[in-house]
Amino acid sequence: MPIFEASAKSKTIFHGPFVHCVSLGELDICEAGAIGVDEDGIIVFIDRDVKFEELDTVVKKHGWDDCKVVRIYDSGFFFPGFIDTHIHASQYPNAGIFGKSTLLDWLNTYTFPLESSLADLSRARHVYNRAISRTLAHGTTTAAYYATNHVPATNLLADICKHKGQRALIGRVCMNTDLSPEYYRDESTEATIQKSKECIEYVKKIDPKHELVTPIITPRFAPSCSKDCLEKLGQLHKETGYPCQTHLAENTNEVKLVRELFPECDSYTAVYDDTGLLTDKMILAHCVHLSNKEIDLVKARDAKISHCPASNTALTSGCAKIRKYLDTGIDVGLGSDVSGGFSPSILETARQAIWVSRFVAMLDGDHAKLSVEEVLYLATRGGAKVVGLSDKIGGFEVGKEWDAQMIKLDEVNRYSEGQSEHDGPVDIFGWETWENKVHKWVYNGNDKNTLAVWVKGRLVHYTSAYKP
Amino acid sequence: MPIFEASAKSKTIFHGPFVHCVSLGELDICEAGAIGVDEDGIIVFIDRDVKFEELDTVVKKHGWDDCKVVRIYDSGFFFPGFIDTHIHASQYPNAGIFGKSTLLDWLNTYTFPLESSLADLSRARHVYNRAISRTLAHGTTTAAYYATNHVPATNLLADICKHKGQRALIGRVCMNTDLSPEYYRDESTEATIQKSKECIEYVKKIDPKHELVTPIITPRFAPSCSKDCLEKLGQLHKETGYPCQTHLAENTNEVKLVRELFPECDSYTAVYDDTGLLTDKMILAHCVHLSNKEIDLVKARDAKISHCPASNTALTSGCAKIRKYLDTGIDVGLGSDVSGGFSPSILETARQAIWVSRFVAMLDGDHAKLSVEEVLYLATRGGAKVVGLSDKIGGFEVGKEWDAQMIKLDEVNRYSEGQSEHDGPVDIFGWETWENKVHKWVYNGNDKNTLAVWVKGRLVHYTSAYKP
């Protein structure tokens, strides 16, 4: 495969069906759209009900004679790129390796040894190259990454995201307490702040306008950081205006530990609030075990929640009550949480969000159930709010940037014996509604259905089945 | 792709790593095996620790100079074919289409209309061809199928399984009450029995020794059949010795309905016991809501349980307490339950069994958790017991038949940028243990990892990546 062009550099009309979420639970399905994207990757027009043979009229209307056309048809459609609001790029090689562990033993057994090994830049390059290629292949156009506590390896992650063209928030992981092993923690609060600043400066240097990569202040979680460290990170957040991310209330033993470590704080959530970190730019991963008072505090600060259902199930952390958060008006996105979560795919994470909501419904009633349309919203528009980019991404509107995936489902050849090799995992028999097709994609689709991926108009991934 | 040979017709040595389950929770991982399979598809020898360059010695030792060799190496291995103990072939086009429905409304909204439409044999051929190709591609070498209540379409399913080479139990679905709509039910008990006999005779005719396809007596579930219908099916079971399959205690409303319909019976399970159907040849799908007394009755009759976790979660039926069944000594296998279950893959079903066990563990404690090794056992050796074929399939032993899949995981090229197209979804970095590799396969693998599939020594599926 060729190295992709650094920019689209030409006007492009994307023609064919497109699907996106207009609100929680509501899809907009346009069966024949023509979306005009300019040289900077900005959506300039969206025309609906345009037959392919009418495309000339559209071109003339907009004076776009010099444009390219990218088409999808039959059971294919354009869909917004997925937004992964919580993923540890450094843990990708451990995807699927967790045994029967739970959070605190999982960290010591699997996670700290792997993360610390990325001090070796050659190893970090190996891991990050593959992690970014994989997530792009799964349609993730934006990700909020945790790297490790190493400055050079964290900066390398930013380089790779920029080079491969993935929109990313790059977090150097801050840890200065003995919750982390001696071989893998910052020497002091001063070191934490100094190193965090170095990473911020580096990302500012390689992408001054943060068109693609942005630094994110990343205290691992309360038990990993001393109170003064959290306070100084809170100050850094206030001074720089850069977003923050951390973990909150993932596991009951962790909640108990935080109560012991921070007896002066009213709750786990209050630890972040008391240290200046609980703002509208904070992404809180997990939030499985929050009291009503904590939920109100999260809402009051307009902090965001990253729901990580695959991880919470795999590590037996519990079932986050997402319906309650949505009803409260909190912004929620999805996080793969690799490698607590086993899969780098947000489509798989969306399925897992459905399953977790079913388990909550078994105990609390049907209202808890999330629909296909709702989890797709969380995976796109919800995620855009969580990462603070809802003005740019999450759906298809004039003025937004073209972060999109081309999805193709396979139509069963009625007259063959069905022995041909399958291109993708979803079979369309021909009698399905468009809603059926979207559901089939969500429940059985995978990266084989994602023929091409664009970020800010730039083609950043495609498969051999992509024939524009 | 070519039409496959009807039989292997030559001795074959399968060389490379192989993995299979020796008992619940215990894998046998052999890093360099040579498994000799004769012209009839029977395993004749298993030699361990055989390097490729030593294969000549093995050939000579067994006097197999005329044999073929099929190899897998690096991060690949042979694994027993999967056994799907509960799948509605007729519902395959609805995989992923269920909305927020639960069992009884799901039947009326999605299932009965589709099933009844397979009276059209051309449509049935379309659906069954694809369903069998898909399940084979996912490594399912044996399946216990529900067809529809139509004799010709059910017989067609048997033909297609035999033609494509999948081991199958073929069930015409019996329903004679108004639980089923008027347009889709047997006219009378006599019609039910007569039609069931016709399907039995047909399968006997096309495969007299039942080397590949076997009839299975299939009352849909208690609410679909009158008491005398169940009794006559029980007699048919006794007279013919053919196995039976049905649904049991999937959903609480269904359990309530059965209590109303059969007030004279002690329990839902007792309905089947009172009618002569609860024997050691009965496959009971779901068993989500059984009382302790019912569990004891299932155990006393040595009836088998098909665990359908994907379906139970999708339709919010509940979480079957599989650990309890295993502790009681009941034989348990996995069922995809397409299309209550959304996926035709038993690997996905195995993952779902892990997730369901995690949810049970969140309420009942860690003992409920099923391990990767345990769900693989349910998917192979457990399933073999459930379908009554444990003398022939489920693991690799001399005397058993070669029902197997060739699995390949992909090794990340350390020196590339990772931009090449990915062959499969599992990345191996090179430092993983064999146990890690198996876990990675279970959590992220799909049909792209299944390069080839054999049933009784016959190659029944392969992908373009298969290079024997």
Side-chain angles (χ1 to χ4, degrees):
Chain A
M1 259 173 140
I3 297 294
F4 301 105
E5 291 294 321
S7 149
K9 297 290 183 206
S10 76
K11 295 188 183 79
T12 307
I13 295 179
F14 294 88
H15 182 263
F18 68 83
V19 178
H20 66 147
C21 305
V22 289
S23 64
L24 183 69
E26 192 191 348
L27 287 184
D28 173 21
I29 299 176
C30 171
E31 293 189 31
I35 302 182
V37 176
D38 73 11
E39 296 90 336
D40 296 322
I42 312 292
I43 299 175
V44 175
F45 61 84
I46 301 180
D47 289 0
R48 302 176 75 101
D49 303 319
V50 178
K51 291 189 187 122
F52 185 62
E53 52 273 24
E54 297 166 352
L55 212 48
D56 265 355
T57 322
V58 172
V59 168
K60 288 210 180 78
K61 183 175 92 181
H62 295 283
W64 272 34
D65 300 302
D66 54 341
C67 75
K68 286 194 311 183
V69 173
V70 173
R71 275 187 83 192
I72 184 73
Y73 38 87
D74 294 339
S75 293
F77 54 94
F78 296 104
F79 192 81
F82 287 133
I83 298 165
D84 190 340
T85 61
H86 184 75
I87 172 168
H88 297 261
S90 52
Q91 296 172 16
Y92 175 62
N94 273 353
I97 303 177
F98 53 91
K100 288 186 177 180
S101 62
T102 56
L103 177 63
L104 300 176
D105 56 313
W106 170 81
L107 281 170
N108 286 305
T109 309
Y110 300 106
T111 305
F112 291 144
L114 173 60
E115 286 192 18
S116 67
S117 77
L118 299 201
D120 173 352
L121 271 182
S122 141
R123 190 168 161 110
R125 186 182 306 276
H126 187 193
V127 168
Y128 289 148
N129 265 325
R130 191 64 162 189
I132 307 312
S133 289
R134 272 287 178 197
T135 52
L136 282 173
H138 284 292
T140 298
T141 49
T142 299
Y145 284 117
Y146 286 59
T148 61
N149 80 334
H150 313 105
V151 173
T154 301
N155 292 346
L156 177 64
L157 175 62
D159 285 334
I160 292 173
C161 289
K162 181 162 183 269
H163 176 68
K164 289 186 188 283
Q166 189 175 55
R167 213 181 279 273
L169 290 80
I170 305 290
R172 192 197 74 92
V173 181
C174 301
M175 310 172 279
N176 76 333
T177 71
D178 62 6
L179 187 280
S180 315
E182 205 173 350
Y183 65 82
Y184 183 49
R185 65 185 184 224
D186 300 335
E187 307 87 303
S188 62
T189 292
E190 292 65 38
T192 293
I193 302 305
Q194 177 55 33
K195 289 177 179 182
S196 298
K197 284 182 174 171
E198 286 175 33
C199 288
I200 290 172
E201 289 308 313
Y202 186 81
V203 175
K204 278 168 74 172
K205 191 182 81 182
I206 66 168
D207 189 358
K209 292 184 191 164
H210 303 311
E211 293 187 3
L212 216 55
V213 289
T214 306
I216 184 164
I217 295 163
T218 306
R220 184 175 205 112
F221 68 150
S224 289
C225 297
S226 61
K227 190 82 176 277
D228 75 306
C229 180
L230 291 172
E231 282 165 352
K232 292 216 164 59
L233 289 169
Q235 285 169 19
L236 188 64
H237 169 52
K238 195 174 174 187
E239 288 161 19
T240 62
Y242 284 122
C244 324
Q245 59 183 355
T246 192
H247 300 78
L248 174 62
E250 177 174 357
N251 160 299
T252 49
N253 283 330
E254 168 214 9
V255 172
K256 197 167 151 245
L257 178 62
V258 171
R259 209 177 296 135
E260 288 163 16
L261 291 169
F262 301 87
E264 72 284 10
C265 295
D266 191 48
S267 66
Y268 193 164
T269 307
V271 174
Y272 298 132
D273 196 42
D274 293 353
T275 51
L277 289 160
L278 198 72
T279 74
D280 62 350
K281 290 185 172 179
M282 166 56 100
I283 305 173
L284 300 162
H286 303 296
C287 298
V288 178
H289 305 280
L290 292 186
S291 68
N292 286 335
K293 203 171 162 191
E294 286 177 283
I295 296 170
D296 291 341
L297 182 56
V298 169
K299 171 64 186 160
R301 299 291 181 265
D302 199 17
K304 318 302 183 191
I305 289 179
S306 173
H307 177 37
C308 305
S311 169
N312 296 336
T313 302
L315 299 184
T316 342
S317 301
C319 296
K321 300 196 170 180
I322 296 306
R323 176 66 66 203
K324 193 168 183 178
Y325 301 152
L326 294 171
D327 286 349
T328 307
I330 296 172
D331 292 325
V332 180
L334 296 181
S336 66
D337 191 27
V338 166
S339 70
F342 57 95
S343 168
S345 158
I346 287 295
L347 193 64
E348 171 65 28
T349 306
R351 284 192 282 269
Q352 294 283 332
I354 292 176
W355 310 144
V356 166
S357 80
R358 297 305 206 250
F359 291 109
V360 176
M362 286 176 199
L363 301 172
D364 293 357
D366 274 0
H367 180 62
K369 283 188 192 179
L370 296 175
S371 66
V372 164
E373 293 75 11
E374 287 174 322
V375 297
L376 288 177
Y377 177 91
L378 300 184
T380 55
R381 218 173 273 268
K385 288 186 182 179
V386 169
V387 299
L389 294 171
S390 57
D391 55 331
K392 287 188 176 180
I393 56 172
F396 298 142
E397 278 116 36
V398 170
K400 280 207 161 66
E401 303 188 1
W402 182 249
D403 282 23
Q405 20 182 351
M406 177 191 276
I407 304 297
K408 182 81 174 73
L409 311 177
D410 294 302
E411 293 177 13
V412 179
N413 182 342
R414 181 162 188 142
Y415 303 102
S416 84
E417 289 218 344
Q419 281 189 332
S420 66
E421 188 161 358
H422 308 117
D423 292 323
V426 179
D427 283 329
I428 299 299
F429 281 79
W431 57 70
E432 295 87 348
T433 65
W434 265 101
E435 190 196 40
N436 288 162
K437 289 182 190 181
V438 172
H439 283 228
K440 283 192 158 193
W441 171 55
V442 168
Y443 284 115
N444 279 311
N446 65 27
D447 55 343
K448 289 286 156 193
N449 299 110
T450 303
L451 301 198
V453 181
W454 293 265
V455 174
K456 207 174 186 299
R458 172 181 166 195
L459 181 66
V460 293
H461 169 81
Y462 60 87
T463 74
S464 56
Y466 173 62
K467 294 174 191 80
Chain B
M1 260 174 139
I3 298 292
F4 300 106
E5 292 293 321
S7 147
K9 296 293 184 206
S10 77
K11 295 189 183 79
T12 307
I13 294 179
F14 294 88
H15 182 264
F18 69 83
V19 178
H20 66 146
C21 306
V22 289
S23 64
L24 183 69
E26 192 191 349
L27 287 184
D28 174 21
I29 298 175
C30 171
E31 293 189 32
I35 302 182
V37 176
D38 72 11
E39 296 89 337
D40 297 321
I42 312 292
I43 298 174
V44 176
F45 61 83
I46 300 180
D47 289 359
R48 302 175 75 100
D49 303 318
V50 178
K51 291 187 186 125
F52 185 62
E53 52 274 25
E54 298 165 351
L55 213 49
D56 266 354
T57 321
V58 172
V59 168
K60 288 210 179 79
K61 183 175 92 180
H62 295 284
W64 272 35
D65 300 304
D66 55 341
C67 74
K68 287 193 311 185
V69 173
V70 173
R71 276 186 84 191
I72 184 74
Y73 39 86
D74 294 338
S75 292
F77 55 93
F78 296 104
F79 192 81
F82 287 134
I83 298 166
D84 190 340
T85 61
H86 184 76
I87 171 167
H88 297 262
S90 51
Q91 296 172 14
Y92 175 61
N94 274 351
I97 304 177
F98 54 90
K100 287 186 178 180
S101 62
T102 56
L103 179 62
L104 300 176
D105 58 312
W106 170 81
L107 281 171
N108 286 305
T109 309
Y110 301 105
T111 305
F112 291 143
L114 173 59
E115 287 192 18
S116 67
S117 76
L118 300 202
D120 173 353
L121 272 181
S122 139
R123 189 167 160 110
R125 187 182 306 275
H126 187 192
V127 169
Y128 289 150
N129 264 327
R130 192 63 164 190
I132 308 310
S133 289
R134 270 288 177 196
T135 52
L136 282 173
H138 283 293
T140 298
T141 50
T142 299
Y145 283 118
Y146 286 58
T148 61
N149 79 334
H150 314 105
V151 174
T154 301
N155 293 346
L156 177 64
L157 175 61
D159 285 336
I160 291 172
C161 289
K162 182 163 182 270
H163 176 68
K164 290 187 187 280
Q166 190 175 54
R167 212 180 280 274
L169 290 81
I170 305 290
R172 192 196 75 89
V173 180
C174 300
M175 311 172 278
N176 75 334
T177 71
D178 62 6
L179 186 280
S180 316
E182 205 173 351
Y183 65 82
Y184 183 49
R185 65 184 183 227
D186 300 335
E187 308 86 305
S188 62
T189 292
E190 292 65 39
T192 294
I193 303 303
Q194 178 54 35
K195 289 177 178 180
S196 297
K197 284 182 175 171
E198 286 175 35
C199 287
I200 290 173
E201 288 308 313
Y202 186 81
V203 175
K204 279 168 75 173
K205 192 181 82 181
I206 66 168
D207 189 357
K209 291 183 190 164
H210 302 312
E211 293 187 1
L212 215 57
V213 288
T214 306
I216 184 163
I217 296 163
T218 306
R220 185 175 204 113
F221 68 149
S224 288
C225 297
S226 61
K227 190 82 175 277
D228 74 307
C229 182
L230 292 171
E231 282 165 352
K232 292 216 166 58
L233 288 169
Q235 285 169 21
L236 188 65
H237 170 49
K238 195 174 175 187
E239 287 161 21
T240 62
Y242 284 122
C244 322
Q245 60 184 352
T246 193
H247 300 77
L248 175 61
E250 178 174 356
N251 161 298
T252 49
N253 283 331
E254 168 214 11
V255 171
K256 196 166 152 244
L257 179 62
V258 171
R259 209 178 293 133
E260 289 162 16
L261 291 170
F262 301 88
E264 71 285 9
C265 295
D266 191 49
S267 66
Y268 192 164
T269 307
V271 175
Y272 298 131
D273 196 42
D274 293 353
T275 52
L277 288 159
L278 198 72
T279 73
D280 62 349
K281 290 185 171 179
M282 166 57 100
I283 305 172
L284 301 162
H286 303 297
C287 298
V288 178
H289 305 282
L290 292 186
S291 67
N292 286 337
K293 203 172 162 190
E294 288 178 282
I295 295 171
D296 291 342
L297 182 57
V298 169
K299 170 62 185 162
R301 300 291 181 265
D302 199 17
K304 318 303 184 193
I305 290 179
S306 173
H307 176 39
C308 305
S311 170
N312 296 337
T313 303
L315 300 183
T316 342
S317 301
C319 297
K321 299 196 170 181
I322 297 306
R323 175 66 67 203
K324 192 167 184 179
Y325 300 152
L326 293 171
D327 285 348
T328 308
I330 297 171
D331 292 325
V332 180
L334 297 181
S336 67
D337 192 28
V338 166
S339 67
F342 58 94
S343 168
S345 157
I346 287 296
L347 193 64
E348 172 65 28
T349 307
R351 284 191 282 266
Q352 293 283 331
I354 292 176
W355 311 143
V356 166
S357 80
R358 296 301 206 255
F359 290 108
V360 176
M362 287 175 199
L363 300 171
D364 293 356
D366 276 359
H367 179 62
K369 283 187 191 179
L370 296 175
S371 67
V372 163
E373 292 75 12
E374 286 174 322
V375 297
L376 288 176
Y377 177 91
L378 300 183
T380 55
R381 219 174 273 267
K385 288 186 181 179
V386 169
V387 299
L389 293 171
S390 57
D391 55 331
K392 286 188 176 178
I393 56 173
F396 297 142
E397 278 116 36
V398 171
K400 280 207 161 69
E401 302 186 2
W402 182 250
D403 283 24
Q405 19 182 350
M406 178 192 275
I407 304 298
K408 183 81 174 76
L409 310 177
D410 294 301
E411 293 177 13
V412 179
N413 183 342
R414 184 163 187 141
Y415 303 102
S416 86
E417 288 219 345
Q419 280 190 333
S420 66
E421 189 161 0
H422 308 116
D423 292 323
V426 179
D427 283 330
I428 299 298
F429 281 79
W431 57 70
E432 294 88 348
T433 65
W434 265 100
E435 190 196 39
N436 287 162
K437 289 182 189 180
V438 172
H439 283 230
K440 282 192 159 194
W441 172 54
V442 168
Y443 284 115
N444 278 313
N446 66 25
D447 55 342
K448 288 286 156 195
N449 299 110
T450 302
L451 300 198
V453 181
W454 293 264
V455 175
K456 209 175 185 298
R458 173 182 164 194
L459 182 66
V460 293
H461 170 80
Y462 61 87
T463 73
S464 57
Y466 174 61
K467 295 174 191 79

